[in-house]
Amino acid sequence: MTEPFDAPAIIAAKRDKHRLSDAQIDWVVDAYTRGVVVPEQMSALAMAILLNGMDRPEIARWTAAMIASGERMDFSSLSRPTADKHSTGGVGDKITLPLAPLVAACGVAVPQLSGRGLGHTGGTLDKLEAIPGWRAALSNEEMLAQLEDVGAVICAAGSGLAPADKKLYALRDVTGTVEAIPLIASSIMSKKIAEGTGALVLDVKVGSGAFMKDLDQARELAETMVALGTDAGVNTVALLTDMATPLGLTAGNALEVAESVEVLAGGGPQDVVDLTLALAREMLAAAGRGDVDPAEALADGRAMDAWRSMISAQGGDADAALPQARETHVVTAPEGGVLTRLDAMAVGLAAWRLGAGRSRPDEAVQAGAGVVMHAKPGDEVAAGAPLLTLHTDTPERFERALEALEGGFDLGDAPAPRTDVVLDRIG
Amino acid sequence: MTEPFDAPAIIAAKRDKHRLSDAQIDWVVDAYTRGVVVPEQMSALAMAILLNGMDRPEIARWTAAMIASGERMDFSSLSRPTADKHSTGGVGDKITLPLAPLVAACGVAVPQLSGRGLGHTGGTLDKLEAIPGWRAALSNEEMLAQLEDVGAVICAAGSGLAPADKKLYALRDVTGTVEAIPLIASSIMSKKIAEGTGALVLDVKVGSGAFMKDLDQARELAETMVALGTDAGVNTVALLTDMATPLGLTAGNALEVAESVEVLAGGGPQDVVDLTLALAREMLAAAGRGDVDPAEALADGRAMDAWRSMISAQGGDADAALPQARETHVVTAPEGGVLTRLDAMAVGLAAWRLGAGRSRPDEAVQAGAGVVMHAKPGDEVAAGAPLLTLHTDTPERFERALEALEGGFDLGDAPAPRTDVVLDRIG
């Protein structure tokens, strides 16, 4: 079979800062999926895209080509509108756990296809798998049935959705080409558009613990994704949210499940509650249910009921005790003062090194491992008081976790300015 | 075994415009040779190097790491000094053929390790293989013996010399990363330094038929290579030479052998004679024999004698008839006038498409295929007179060769300014 294009010529075009044509993009994505364009060609192209960029029409076409590489889901048979949320990944970001049942309790179905964690950010599936019995793999039919019955499902994306993206993401991960806005935007949006959600709220993280370290980059990513979703008929908005410090008081799998249950029970850290409600309001509004107040569903226990239904529908025992790490180590405040900084990346790396995260896709994670924070920026801490408790099953990991935390927090005497979790809104 | 570095981190460093440390370069080149750094990682790094550059010390270290990947040859036991020449590749560039025996006839040994052609530029070995019986493969011992006996050898580089370069070049060729000055310079110089020549003259081509399209780029490449050679103890100079139009009146394998023999017999096109003598003078001077005039050795037949010895030492029959193509097609001048432009790339592509070159490394070439030029820029041509004769064994190739020549020449009424072949000298 004769191919209409030649991979080196397409790579050279992007290398030399030219636009790729629709036909070139369609071919290169399809040929990569078929194995005609080989990994070393796609990684060179990814690096050229990272360094030389793509314009909006190129990104839209690239996204469409990735969607066309696989199946598309269809939720139009549901009796309820659908809304999904995607976070670009942060430390302590357990928001999906309380959010999905909360939005479901307000009458909007949440079809959340999630992933496992890699590196310093946790994965939603890893967190839920800390619940005894819970399983991430559902067939499309099971997913649709659970959406109709319970209104919320959090499960693993099947291999049929945007296989080009799956293959490309694995390649980018080992070739230093993750941090390309066109490729991040098209990766996220190809899966979300193929998933068939009617509305989508993007939580774009900004700060040390996020992929996007500064607000301008994050805004560019958010605007790109909102445009892609809107053009594809998905009602899309984005919140830019703070990831300079971890969300809530826990980073880890079972630890974050426990904190999420506290939020659903009406308690929990204020930042987690605030962000959960802000995202719920956006999802409801984007799905045409802006009249419903999610704070009521949180307060009156409906969100907790939906959580229990969602967990048990996937085999999980919502009442079972969560796994606990075998060993703990307490980090105390070396002096008294106000905690002026607690770095998200430092805490994320520590949790990862304690066993909460993985370095390779096939690695197992520890359900009980992670970091509990006893103070957040702005809190006063006495000298010698506990600041962090590290949890792991394998105490030889403490040393490298402590190294990660070196320089990860500051104690001062001036009160630290509290930052709102939500920094900006796009869409 | 634990590796001291992580390929994605090194890729990310160059992507983010940082210098690579000596230890990073040593590791990444060695780990790529060992297969620990995989092709998709090296191609992403190559693209980052192409777009973000390397400074001189980085290039020197990269070159040293490629040399260290294999063996080094040693000609110190020879009774004569050694000098080699490397051309960056052009159309009709048969200069090595008369040059090596000419310099040998002047008392300096020429250990020329050559390659086969790929794309529009011909390969020296492909040309010599048009001679019945001639073989390119010699052992190191055969090469050394021939250098001592004959004074000149042109043969295939063994697999032991800079294997990292061999592997990297094949990768760059399919990933749009050939055109990176740091990688071109280190590729050429790693082989030439490992080869063990005492002196080296670089023929850096500039113009449409060359990799380097403009003089500034070519000068940068030449300066980089001269610095690399000098620092490694090789007496290195570079000539920047014109490749806007083909060298001589032939482009093809047997066709160029015949033209080379004409030069050795005291005839041949003036530009080929001029460049051969200019390079010979540089090689002799760099090897400490600047007192010898190569024009004499060309005029009195000593160069031809050395040619015959060199060919027969490698099994070739210097008296045998050269292969001729089965079919020819003449391109005539559409109007009368002065040939003001004859584009090197157009002629090179035509010769390639006629069968003189290859598209894949394992493809065979036609010995007789190519282009004979009946005029060069500055020559007057009558309307309807032959301008080019195309040669091939496979006449279905004429059509695509003629397409390559469309727009490849101009006829005018003003006399075209003749350009000197040698444009500049570095070193």
Side-chain angles (χ1 to χ4, degrees), chain A residues 8 11-12 15 39-41 43-45 47-48 50-52 171 173-179, chain B residues 8 11-12 15 39-41 43-45 47-48 50-52 171 173-179:
Chain A
I11 299 165
R15 174 196 77 195
E40 54 268 39
Q41 294 175 322
S43 67
L45 179 58
M47 183 59 80
L50 189 150
L51 291 171
N52 289 340
L171 179 72
D173 189 52
V174 297
T175 57
T177 52
V178 168
E179 293 85 345
Chain B
I11 301 165
R15 174 195 77 196
E40 54 267 38
Q41 294 175 323
S43 66
L45 179 58
M47 182 60 80
L50 189 149
L51 292 170
N52 289 341
L171 178 73
D173 188 51
V174 297
T175 57
T177 52
V178 168
E179 292 86 347

Short mmCIF file of all heavy atoms in Angstrom, two decimals, chain A residues 8 11-12 15 39-41 43-45 47-48 50-52 171 173-179, chain B residues 8 11-12 15 39-41 43-45 47-48 50-52 171 173-179:
data_model
loop_
_atom_site.label_atom_id
_atom_site.label_comp_id
_atom_site.label_asym_id
_atom_site.label_seq_id
_atom_site.Cartn_x
_atom_site.Cartn_y
_atom_site.Cartn_z
N PRO A 8 9.16 11.74 7.63
CA PRO A 8 10.23 12.73 7.80
C PRO A 8 9.86 14.11 7.22
O PRO A 8 10.25 15.14 7.79
CB PRO A 8 11.41 12.11 7.04
CG PRO A 8 11.17 10.64 7.11
CD PRO A 8 9.68 10.48 7.02
N ILE A 11 7.60 15.80 9.78
CA ILE A 11 8.42 16.23 10.91
C ILE A 11 9.22 17.48 10.54
O ILE A 11 9.27 18.45 11.29
CB ILE A 11 9.39 15.10 11.34
CG1 ILE A 11 8.62 13.85 11.77
CG2 ILE A 11 10.31 15.58 12.47
CD1 ILE A 11 9.50 12.58 11.87
N ALA A 12 9.81 17.45 9.33
CA ALA A 12 10.63 18.59 8.89
C ALA A 12 9.77 19.85 8.75
O ALA A 12 10.23 20.96 9.05
CB ALA A 12 11.32 18.26 7.57
N ARG A 15 9.27 21.12 12.21
CA ARG A 15 10.60 21.56 12.66
C ARG A 15 10.92 22.95 12.08
O ARG A 15 11.48 23.81 12.75
CB ARG A 15 11.63 20.53 12.14
CG ARG A 15 13.07 20.88 12.37
CD ARG A 15 13.97 20.02 11.49
NE ARG A 15 13.96 20.48 10.11
CZ ARG A 15 14.41 19.79 9.06
NH1 ARG A 15 14.88 18.56 9.24
NH2 ARG A 15 14.37 20.29 7.85
N PRO A 39 7.62 4.95 16.50
CA PRO A 39 7.74 5.78 17.71
C PRO A 39 8.81 6.86 17.60
O PRO A 39 8.59 8.00 18.04
CB PRO A 39 8.07 4.77 18.81
CG PRO A 39 7.43 3.50 18.34
CD PRO A 39 7.57 3.51 16.84
N GLU A 40 9.98 6.52 17.01
CA GLU A 40 11.05 7.53 16.96
C GLU A 40 10.68 8.69 16.03
O GLU A 40 11.21 9.78 16.17
CB GLU A 40 12.39 6.91 16.57
CG GLU A 40 12.39 6.11 15.29
CD GLU A 40 12.12 4.62 15.51
OE1 GLU A 40 11.27 4.29 16.36
OE2 GLU A 40 12.74 3.80 14.80
N GLN A 41 9.78 8.46 15.10
CA GLN A 41 9.31 9.57 14.26
C GLN A 41 8.29 10.40 15.03
O GLN A 41 8.35 11.63 15.02
CB GLN A 41 8.72 9.02 12.97
CG GLN A 41 9.79 8.34 12.10
CD GLN A 41 9.26 7.66 10.87
OE1 GLN A 41 8.19 7.06 10.88
NE2 GLN A 41 10.02 7.73 9.79
N SER A 43 7.99 10.78 18.25
CA SER A 43 8.59 11.54 19.36
C SER A 43 9.34 12.76 18.84
O SER A 43 9.34 13.82 19.48
CB SER A 43 9.50 10.65 20.21
OG SER A 43 10.63 10.24 19.47
N ALA A 44 9.98 12.63 17.67
CA ALA A 44 10.65 13.80 17.07
C ALA A 44 9.61 14.85 16.69
O ALA A 44 9.81 16.06 16.89
CB ALA A 44 11.46 13.38 15.85
N LEU A 45 8.47 14.39 16.15
CA LEU A 45 7.40 15.33 15.81
C LEU A 45 6.84 15.98 17.07
O LEU A 45 6.60 17.20 17.09
CB LEU A 45 6.29 14.59 15.04
CG LEU A 45 5.08 15.43 14.64
CD1 LEU A 45 5.48 16.62 13.77
CD2 LEU A 45 4.04 14.58 13.91
N MET A 47 8.39 16.58 19.84
CA MET A 47 9.34 17.59 20.31
C MET A 47 9.26 18.86 19.44
O MET A 47 9.32 19.98 19.95
CB MET A 47 10.76 17.03 20.32
CG MET A 47 11.82 17.99 20.85
SD MET A 47 11.53 18.54 22.56
CE MET A 47 12.17 17.12 23.47
N ALA A 48 9.11 18.68 18.14
CA ALA A 48 8.97 19.84 17.25
C ALA A 48 7.69 20.61 17.56
O ALA A 48 7.68 21.84 17.55
CB ALA A 48 9.01 19.39 15.79
N LEU A 50 6.22 20.63 20.51
CA LEU A 50 6.44 21.26 21.82
C LEU A 50 7.20 22.58 21.65
O LEU A 50 6.84 23.58 22.24
CB LEU A 50 7.20 20.29 22.72
CG LEU A 50 7.35 20.69 24.18
CD1 LEU A 50 7.41 19.44 25.07
CD2 LEU A 50 8.56 21.57 24.47
N LEU A 51 8.24 22.56 20.81
CA LEU A 51 9.10 23.75 20.71
C LEU A 51 8.57 24.77 19.71
O LEU A 51 8.79 25.97 19.88
CB LEU A 51 10.53 23.32 20.35
CG LEU A 51 11.25 22.56 21.49
CD1 LEU A 51 12.57 21.98 20.99
CD2 LEU A 51 11.50 23.47 22.70
N ASN A 52 7.88 24.34 18.67
CA ASN A 52 7.41 25.28 17.65
C ASN A 52 5.91 25.53 17.67
O ASN A 52 5.43 26.41 16.95
CB ASN A 52 7.84 24.81 16.25
CG ASN A 52 9.35 24.95 16.04
OD1 ASN A 52 10.00 25.72 16.76
ND2 ASN A 52 9.89 24.22 15.10
N LEU A 171 4.19 7.38 24.89
CA LEU A 171 5.43 7.81 24.22
C LEU A 171 5.94 9.13 24.79
O LEU A 171 7.14 9.28 25.07
CB LEU A 171 5.16 7.96 22.72
CG LEU A 171 6.35 8.44 21.87
CD1 LEU A 171 7.38 7.33 21.73
CD2 LEU A 171 5.88 8.90 20.50
N ASP A 173 5.46 10.36 27.62
CA ASP A 173 5.90 10.19 28.99
C ASP A 173 7.38 9.84 29.11
O ASP A 173 8.04 10.23 30.07
CB ASP A 173 5.03 9.10 29.64
CG ASP A 173 5.27 9.00 31.13
OD1 ASP A 173 5.19 10.04 31.80
OD2 ASP A 173 5.54 7.88 31.61
N VAL A 174 7.92 9.11 28.14
CA VAL A 174 9.33 8.69 28.22
C VAL A 174 10.25 9.52 27.32
O VAL A 174 11.44 9.23 27.22
CB VAL A 174 9.51 7.18 27.88
CG1 VAL A 174 8.78 6.32 28.90
CG2 VAL A 174 9.03 6.86 26.47
N THR A 175 9.70 10.52 26.64
CA THR A 175 10.53 11.27 25.68
C THR A 175 10.58 12.77 25.99
O THR A 175 10.95 13.56 25.11
CB THR A 175 10.02 11.07 24.23
OG1 THR A 175 8.64 11.48 24.16
CG2 THR A 175 10.12 9.62 23.81
N GLY A 176 10.23 13.15 27.22
CA GLY A 176 10.34 14.56 27.59
C GLY A 176 9.40 15.46 26.81
O GLY A 176 9.67 16.65 26.65
N THR A 177 8.29 14.91 26.32
CA THR A 177 7.39 15.72 25.49
C THR A 177 5.99 15.82 26.08
O THR A 177 5.04 16.10 25.36
CB THR A 177 7.33 15.17 24.05
OG1 THR A 177 7.02 13.77 24.10
CG2 THR A 177 8.64 15.34 23.33
N VAL A 178 5.90 15.60 27.39
CA VAL A 178 4.58 15.77 28.03
C VAL A 178 4.15 17.23 28.02
O VAL A 178 3.00 17.55 27.72
CB VAL A 178 4.62 15.21 29.48
CG1 VAL A 178 3.38 15.63 30.25
CG2 VAL A 178 4.73 13.69 29.46
N GLU A 179 5.07 18.15 28.28
CA GLU A 179 4.73 19.54 28.56
C GLU A 179 4.47 20.39 27.32
O GLU A 179 4.94 21.51 27.22
CB GLU A 179 5.83 20.19 29.42
CG GLU A 179 5.94 19.64 30.82
CD GLU A 179 6.82 18.39 30.95
OE1 GLU A 179 7.12 17.76 29.92
OE2 GLU A 179 7.18 18.05 32.08
N PRO B 8 14.53 10.85 30.02
CA PRO B 8 13.58 11.97 29.90
C PRO B 8 14.10 13.26 30.54
O PRO B 8 13.85 14.35 30.03
CB PRO B 8 12.32 11.46 30.61
CG PRO B 8 12.40 9.96 30.47
CD PRO B 8 13.87 9.64 30.57
N ILE B 11 16.57 14.80 28.07
CA ILE B 11 15.80 15.38 26.96
C ILE B 11 15.16 16.70 27.40
O ILE B 11 15.23 17.71 26.69
CB ILE B 11 14.71 14.40 26.48
CG1 ILE B 11 15.33 13.08 26.00
CG2 ILE B 11 13.86 15.04 25.38
CD1 ILE B 11 14.30 11.95 25.85
N ALA B 12 14.57 16.68 28.60
CA ALA B 12 13.88 17.88 29.10
C ALA B 12 14.87 19.03 29.30
O ALA B 12 14.55 20.20 29.05
CB ALA B 12 13.14 17.57 30.40
N ARG B 15 15.54 20.39 25.89
CA ARG B 15 14.26 21.02 25.49
C ARG B 15 14.11 22.39 26.14
O ARG B 15 13.64 23.35 25.51
CB ARG B 15 13.12 20.09 25.97
CG ARG B 15 11.74 20.63 25.77
CD ARG B 15 10.73 19.83 26.60
NE ARG B 15 10.78 20.22 28.00
CZ ARG B 15 10.26 19.53 29.02
NH1 ARG B 15 9.67 18.37 28.80
NH2 ARG B 15 10.35 19.97 30.26
N PRO B 39 15.29 4.39 20.80
CA PRO B 39 15.29 5.30 19.65
C PRO B 39 14.34 6.48 19.80
O PRO B 39 14.68 7.60 19.41
CB PRO B 39 14.85 4.38 18.49
CG PRO B 39 15.33 3.02 18.89
CD PRO B 39 15.18 2.96 20.38
N GLU B 40 13.14 6.26 20.38
CA GLU B 40 12.19 7.37 20.49
C GLU B 40 12.68 8.43 21.48
O GLU B 40 12.28 9.59 21.39
CB GLU B 40 10.79 6.88 20.87
CG GLU B 40 10.70 6.03 22.11
CD GLU B 40 10.79 4.54 21.81
OE1 GLU B 40 11.57 4.14 20.90
OE2 GLU B 40 10.08 3.76 22.48
N GLN B 41 13.57 8.05 22.40
CA GLN B 41 14.15 9.05 23.28
C GLN B 41 15.26 9.80 22.56
O GLN B 41 15.34 11.03 22.62
CB GLN B 41 14.68 8.37 24.55
CG GLN B 41 13.53 7.78 25.38
CD GLN B 41 13.96 6.99 26.58
OE1 GLN B 41 14.97 6.28 26.55
NE2 GLN B 41 13.21 7.07 27.66
N SER B 43 15.61 10.30 19.35
CA SER B 43 15.11 11.18 18.29
C SER B 43 14.50 12.45 18.87
O SER B 43 14.62 13.53 18.29
CB SER B 43 14.10 10.44 17.40
OG SER B 43 12.93 10.12 18.13
N ALA B 44 13.86 12.34 20.04
CA ALA B 44 13.33 13.55 20.69
C ALA B 44 14.49 14.45 21.13
O ALA B 44 14.42 15.67 20.98
CB ALA B 44 12.46 13.17 21.89
N LEU B 45 15.54 13.84 21.64
CA LEU B 45 16.72 14.63 22.03
C LEU B 45 17.36 15.27 20.80
O LEU B 45 17.75 16.44 20.83
CB LEU B 45 17.73 13.73 22.75
CG LEU B 45 19.03 14.39 23.20
CD1 LEU B 45 18.75 15.57 24.14
CD2 LEU B 45 19.95 13.39 23.89
N MET B 47 15.91 16.18 18.06
CA MET B 47 15.08 17.33 17.64
C MET B 47 15.30 18.52 18.57
O MET B 47 15.39 19.67 18.12
CB MET B 47 13.61 16.93 17.61
CG MET B 47 12.68 18.03 17.13
SD MET B 47 13.02 18.63 15.45
CE MET B 47 12.24 17.34 14.46
N ALA B 48 15.43 18.26 19.86
CA ALA B 48 15.69 19.35 20.81
C ALA B 48 17.06 19.98 20.54
O ALA B 48 17.21 21.20 20.61
CB ALA B 48 15.60 18.84 22.25
N LEU B 50 18.55 19.97 17.59
CA LEU B 50 18.40 20.68 16.32
C LEU B 50 17.80 22.07 16.56
O LEU B 50 18.27 23.07 16.01
CB LEU B 50 17.53 19.87 15.37
CG LEU B 50 17.44 20.35 13.92
CD1 LEU B 50 17.23 19.17 12.98
CD2 LEU B 50 16.35 21.38 13.69
N LEU B 51 16.76 22.14 17.39
CA LEU B 51 16.04 23.41 17.56
C LEU B 51 16.68 24.32 18.61
O LEU B 51 16.59 25.53 18.49
CB LEU B 51 14.57 23.14 17.90
CG LEU B 51 13.77 22.53 16.72
CD1 LEU B 51 12.40 22.08 17.19
CD2 LEU B 51 13.63 23.53 15.57
N ASN B 52 17.32 23.75 19.62
CA ASN B 52 17.89 24.59 20.70
C ASN B 52 19.41 24.66 20.69
O ASN B 52 19.98 25.45 21.43
CB ASN B 52 17.39 24.10 22.07
CG ASN B 52 15.92 24.41 22.28
OD1 ASN B 52 15.36 25.27 21.60
ND2 ASN B 52 15.29 23.71 23.20
N LEU B 171 19.02 6.83 12.54
CA LEU B 171 17.83 7.36 13.24
C LEU B 171 17.49 8.76 12.74
O LEU B 171 16.33 9.07 12.46
CB LEU B 171 18.11 7.40 14.75
CG LEU B 171 16.98 7.97 15.61
CD1 LEU B 171 15.82 6.98 15.71
CD2 LEU B 171 17.49 8.30 17.02
N ASP B 173 18.12 10.05 9.97
CA ASP B 173 17.68 10.02 8.58
C ASP B 173 16.16 9.84 8.46
O ASP B 173 15.55 10.34 7.51
CB ASP B 173 18.40 8.87 7.87
CG ASP B 173 18.16 8.87 6.38
OD1 ASP B 173 18.35 9.94 5.77
OD2 ASP B 173 17.77 7.82 5.84
N VAL B 174 15.53 9.14 9.39
CA VAL B 174 14.08 8.89 9.29
C VAL B 174 13.26 9.77 10.24
O VAL B 174 12.04 9.64 10.31
CB VAL B 174 13.73 7.41 9.55
CG1 VAL B 174 14.36 6.52 8.49
CG2 VAL B 174 14.13 6.96 10.94
N THR B 175 13.93 10.67 10.97
CA THR B 175 13.18 11.47 11.95
C THR B 175 13.31 12.98 11.73
O THR B 175 13.03 13.76 12.64
CB THR B 175 13.65 11.13 13.40
OG1 THR B 175 15.06 11.37 13.50
CG2 THR B 175 13.37 9.69 13.75
N GLY B 176 13.70 13.36 10.53
CA GLY B 176 13.75 14.80 10.23
C GLY B 176 14.79 15.54 11.05
O GLY B 176 14.66 16.74 11.29
N THR B 177 15.84 14.85 11.52
CA THR B 177 16.82 15.50 12.38
C THR B 177 18.23 15.46 11.79
O THR B 177 19.21 15.57 12.53
CB THR B 177 16.81 14.87 13.80
OG1 THR B 177 16.94 13.45 13.67
CG2 THR B 177 15.53 15.17 14.53
N VAL B 178 18.31 15.31 10.47
CA VAL B 178 19.64 15.34 9.83
C VAL B 178 20.23 16.74 9.92
O VAL B 178 21.41 16.90 10.23
CB VAL B 178 19.54 14.87 8.36
CG1 VAL B 178 20.82 15.17 7.61
CG2 VAL B 178 19.22 13.37 8.30
N GLU B 179 19.42 17.77 9.70
CA GLU B 179 19.93 19.13 9.50
C GLU B 179 20.29 19.89 10.77
O GLU B 179 19.96 21.06 10.94
CB GLU B 179 18.92 19.93 8.69
CG GLU B 179 18.75 19.48 7.25
CD GLU B 179 17.73 18.34 7.07
OE1 GLU B 179 17.34 17.73 8.08
OE2 GLU B 179 17.34 18.09 5.93
#
